[in-house]
Amino acid sequence: MSVIEKKLKDRSGSVCEISGAEHDLVVYTLLPHTAESLEHSVLVAKHLKDQIENPETTDEKDWRGLSESMWSEHLPVQILSWRMLARLKNNDLLDMMYLDEEALEWAKATGEGEEEDENKIVHKDSNGVTLLDGDSVVLIKDLDVKGATFTAKRGAAVHNIKLVWDDANLIEGRVENQSIYILTQYVKKTK
């Protein structure tokens, strides 16, 4: 158990900070932050973390605890509650929440709460999982790199990817210390 996980368990009483569940708890760090910390992470049930990371799997029934967690004294819990209420389009509860300007900016950093744009470009990996800037992926097949003298090997990890904003089929990442473009159909998001 990491030091942060222990501190989060102490903070939450060893329960999910959203649902109150007592089992299968994991640390979730709120983007755009990537390092686990007390100021940027929450303790949640694993199935909720999976739904956060894969919006198409969101099950509204699993988020009933938001009406209580939104009042948490801990900012990361408030931010996650705001994001999920925005995703679920629960405007009644959202209208009751107050976040100062800086916190609201953090809450909106992932695009939750913005009006859905049918023309919005969404990057998805080979399994249909949504990709975000900063994610880590693994290659699922050997790829010949045009203009380079190497082949990007299957199983190679690519960290801190950048999305190509005008093409949903392309991401940019570093393989063998070279920045390359990779088709999303050849990558799988890692947890």
Side-chain angles (χ1 to χ4, degrees):
M1 176 184 320
S2 72
V3 172
I4 296 301
E5 185 176 355
K6 182 177 180 345
K7 287 182 178 182
L8 288 172
K9 284 188 173 187
D10 289 345
R11 177 174 91 185
S12 70
S14 295
V15 297
C16 172
E17 294 185 274
I18 300 295
S19 68
E22 298 176 7
H23 303 289
D24 208 13
L25 302 175
V26 295
V27 175
Y28 175 72
T29 301
L30 283 84
L31 294 170
H33 305 283
T34 55
E36 289 183 359
S37 72
L38 211 50
E39 298 79 27
H40 303 126
S41 303
V42 294
L43 191 66
V44 295
K46 185 180 182 320
H47 74 282
L48 295 183
K49 180 180 185 227
D50 294 342
Q51 290 182 37
I52 295 165
E53 294 175 340
N54 302 301
E56 59 277 354
T57 66
T58 303
D59 184 351
E60 196 168 342
K61 296 188 308 277
D62 292 337
W63 295 94
R64 290 185 189 129
L66 289 172
S67 60
E68 289 183 31
S69 65
M70 65 187 262
W71 304 111
S72 171
E73 64 185 278
H74 305 291
L75 186 58
V77 179
Q78 293 174 23
I79 300 296
L80 180 56
S81 297
W82 187 96
R83 287 180 180 174
M84 293 311 300
L85 288 169
R87 181 184 296 175
L88 296 168
K89 297 184 178 13
N90 189 330
N91 293 325
D92 291 339
L93 291 180
L94 268 179
D95 289 344
M96 285 190 243
M97 276 193 84
Y98 171 78
L99 295 175
D100 65 33
E101 199 172 307
E102 190 176 318
L104 189 57
E105 188 175 313
W106 179 20
K108 291 182 175 181
T110 58
E112 294 291 355
E114 293 178 4
E115 289 300 314
E116 289 297 316
D117 179 0
E118 61 189 46
N119 298 323
K120 181 178 176 185
I121 293 177
V122 178
H123 294 73
K124 295 189 182 269
D125 74 359
S126 58
N127 293 328
V129 176
T130 301
L131 298 171
L132 301 170
D133 271 335
D135 280 348
S136 294
V137 297
V138 71
L139 301 179
I140 61 169
K141 80 176 255 184
D142 289 349
L143 301 174
D144 291 325
V145 180
K146 293 181 180 164
T149 57
F150 71 94
T151 299
K153 296 290 185 192
R154 176 178 181 221
V158 183
H159 301 290
N160 200 22
I161 64 168
K162 300 277 184 255
L163 305 179
V164 176
W165 290 106
D166 60 350
D167 189 338
N169 299 311
L170 280 179
I171 59 171
E172 186 178 355
R174 294 189 75 74
V175 176
E176 293 193 21
N177 289 327
Q178 287 195 19
S179 184
I180 63 171
Y181 289 99
I182 307 166
L183 289 170
T184 55
Q185 69 194 41
Y186 300 127
V187 300
K188 181 174 79 173
K189 182 175 177 177
T190 57
K191 298 287 180 212

